[in-house]
Amino acid sequence: MLFMACLISYMLRVNMSVNILAMVQPIQSNARQITDDNSTTAGWLATNRTTTDHQTTTSTVPNYGPRYNWSSHEQSIILGAYFYGYLVSSLPAGICAERFGGRNMVGLSLAFSALLTALTPLAAETGMWVTIANRVLLGILGGFLYPALHNLISKWAPPDEKGKFVSALMGGTFGTVVTWPLVGVLIETVGWSFAFYIPAAIAAIVSALWYLIVADAPSVHPRIKAEEQEYIEKSLGDTISKSKLLPPVLSLATSLPFLSLLVLHFGNLWGLYFLITAAPKFMSEVLGFNLAKAGFLAAMPYLARSLAAFLFGTVGDHLRKKSLLGVTAIRKSFCIFSHIIPGLFLVGLIYIGFDPYVCVAIITLSLGFNGASTMTNLQNSQDLAPNFAGTLYGIINFVGTSSGFISPMLVAHFTADRSTMDEWQYVFLIGAAAYILPALVFVVFGSGQVQKWNEPKQKPPTTGQEHS
């Protein structure tokens, strides 16, 4: 259910990036508009143009439903609206989950997101600003999801199995792989409005299943076996408080392990958003690579990250269960895979990324290794303070999401006049530094120990004791 919640959230988040190309009048660019009868719909939607051998014609505009005269700038506002809403709710989301329960936060988020998605065609018909408001509200609902899921994991996942639980949060990455081809087929066959209605219906079904299957904690689940409840609660020990505590804001602000986690998470999201937003531009403008000819290749980095996350999560759980490495050692050593190696691959793009397929391979490896983040920044909030795992994740996600706005601005700055490898080498070097430097900070200051401020009213854990 964790996996499905994330998959649905991303399905409703990323569908607009493809749908909007069928909702607007094609904008004639300086580049030639070329047609290819063999190109896939998803490819056409992704690029709005494909190539033939020595033939140039104006594309006929397919009839996928009503089209609106939204300019490129207006389209960018619509596409960015989700993330403004997402940023607003990320910060209070963890506190809300801890006060009102992760089950309700996730269930309501999915249910109302389904409703807003189903209303998107009506919003578009009403006007651009109504569409923007719809996407902002959808983003606000989406911002509650991940902190609430971390809250649930802190209460349900035995410490030796947390890697697999956190790996399930990669359902969002897999959702991207599933959604783009799905909406492409829906747009081509039944029109773009159904590319909102069908995902909305799927989301509504998952929301109903969520309420049937999930509970806030083992102690309140109506159908849990007594031995399973006892096993989970015994494995968690006394790290989870029965009472609802207020997050220790001052302790967080002065905690080096938490601050180093915040930096590590920012670096992770910088790398992720950077590759999502900048890599296609690089392949198109510098390498001349047409993604319409290789839709599968375009999805490979996301698929690799999803699969690798489960692999790294399983390996990390094994190391922890067999006591081969302490929790802190696991968190720090896995930074090599989640941050340092992906950063080095970005440096490699500068020197060996001249072939389009080699470029895709490097980006796939970079995002694939970043799947190890399930054992580093995506799980560390569970170590530091299980009582406030949702709040901690909400804070680091709030700060980290800002990289989604900053990295495209950086790319635009360096490529304002020209877009060649000379300009892009600075972009990749900064991206590599954003991966590697936070990892080094975390290796020095990070921790896998339960912090004394996890239970402000109780006696703190023995110094040096690791939660395992």
Side-chain angles (χ1 to χ4, degrees), residues 104-220:
N104 280 330
M105 298 304 299
V106 176
L108 291 173
S109 172
L110 293 177
F112 281 103
S113 293
L115 177 62
L116 285 171
T117 301
L119 290 174
T120 304
L122 178 62
E125 187 66 33
T126 306
M128 181 195 70
W129 289 106
V130 178
T131 308
I132 291 169
N134 177 285
R135 294 294 295 176
V136 170
L137 289 173
L138 197 63
I140 290 172
L141 291 169
F144 283 102
L145 190 86
Y146 281 90
L149 293 177
H150 275 271
N151 173 264
L152 287 169
I153 290 172
S154 71
K155 296 175 180 178
W156 274 97
D160 291 344
E161 301 176 38
K162 277 190 178 176
K164 283 176 282 188
F165 273 77
V166 175
S167 297
L169 302 184
M170 288 292 173
T173 306
F174 191 72
T176 305
V177 179
V178 171
T179 302
W180 285 343
L182 172 66
V183 298
V185 171
L186 289 172
I187 289 168
E188 184 181 47
T189 53
V190 289
W192 63 257
S193 60
F194 282 90
F196 289 107
Y197 296 145
I198 301 297
I202 296 171
I205 293 169
V206 172
S207 175
L209 288 173
W210 176 271
Y211 271 106
L212 285 173
I213 295 170
V214 178
D216 279 325
S219 59
V220 296

Side-chain angles (χ1 to χ4, degrees), residues 282 285-286 414-415 417-426 428:
F282 170 73
E285 296 180 356
V286 180
F414 281 104
T415 60
D417 298 321
R418 290 195 313 160
S419 185
T420 69
M421 186 60 82
D422 290 336
E423 287 77 37
W424 276 89
Q425 65 179 344
Y426 298 109
F428 287 126

Side-chain angles (χ1 to χ4, degrees), residues 6 21 59 86-87 94 112 155 163 174 188 198 204 230 243 249 274 279 300 336 349 387 423 442:
C6 295
L21 295 171
S59 297
Y86 189 83
L87 196 68
F112 281 103
K155 296 175 180 178
F174 191 72
E188 184 181 47
I198 301 297
E230 182 183 356
S243 59
V249 178
F274 166 73
M300 276 184 63
I336 295 171
L349 270 176
N387 277 325
E423 287 77 37
F442 185 81

Side-chain angles (χ1 to χ4, degrees), residues 279-349:
K281 180 180 171 71
F282 170 73
M283 286 189 278
S284 173
E285 296 180 356
V286 180
L287 302 177
F289 184 55
N290 191 346
L291 290 179
K293 297 294 185 182
F296 175 73
L297 290 179
M300 276 184 63
Y302 308 102
L303 188 60
R305 189 171 187 258
S306 298
L307 296 175
F310 283 97
L311 175 63
F312 282 115
T314 302
V315 171
D317 284 347
H318 177 76
L319 292 173
R320 185 170 180 172
K321 190 172 185 178
K322 299 295 184 181
S323 300
L324 299 175
L325 282 176
V327 181
T328 301
I330 290 173
R331 298 289 172 259
K332 293 184 177 183
S333 61
F334 272 71
C335 284
I336 295 171
F337 304 105
S338 67
H339 286 69
I340 293 174
I341 290 178
L344 294 176
F345 274 122
L346 289 186
V347 176
L349 270 176

Side-chain angles (χ1 to χ4, degrees), residues 360-377:
V360 171
I362 293 172
I363 292 172
T364 300
L365 287 169
S366 181
L367 267 185
F369 275 100
N370 182 248
S373 58
T374 54
M375 293 304 300
T376 56
N377 56 287

Side-chain angles (χ1 to χ4, degrees), residues 8 20 91 107 119 132 142 144 259 261 313 341 349 372 449 452 458:
I8 293 302
I20 196 170
L91 201 55
L119 290 174
I132 291 169
F144 283 102
L259 294 175
L261 165 61
I341 290 178
L349 270 176
Q449 297 177 335
K452 60 184 180 181
Q458 296 184 9

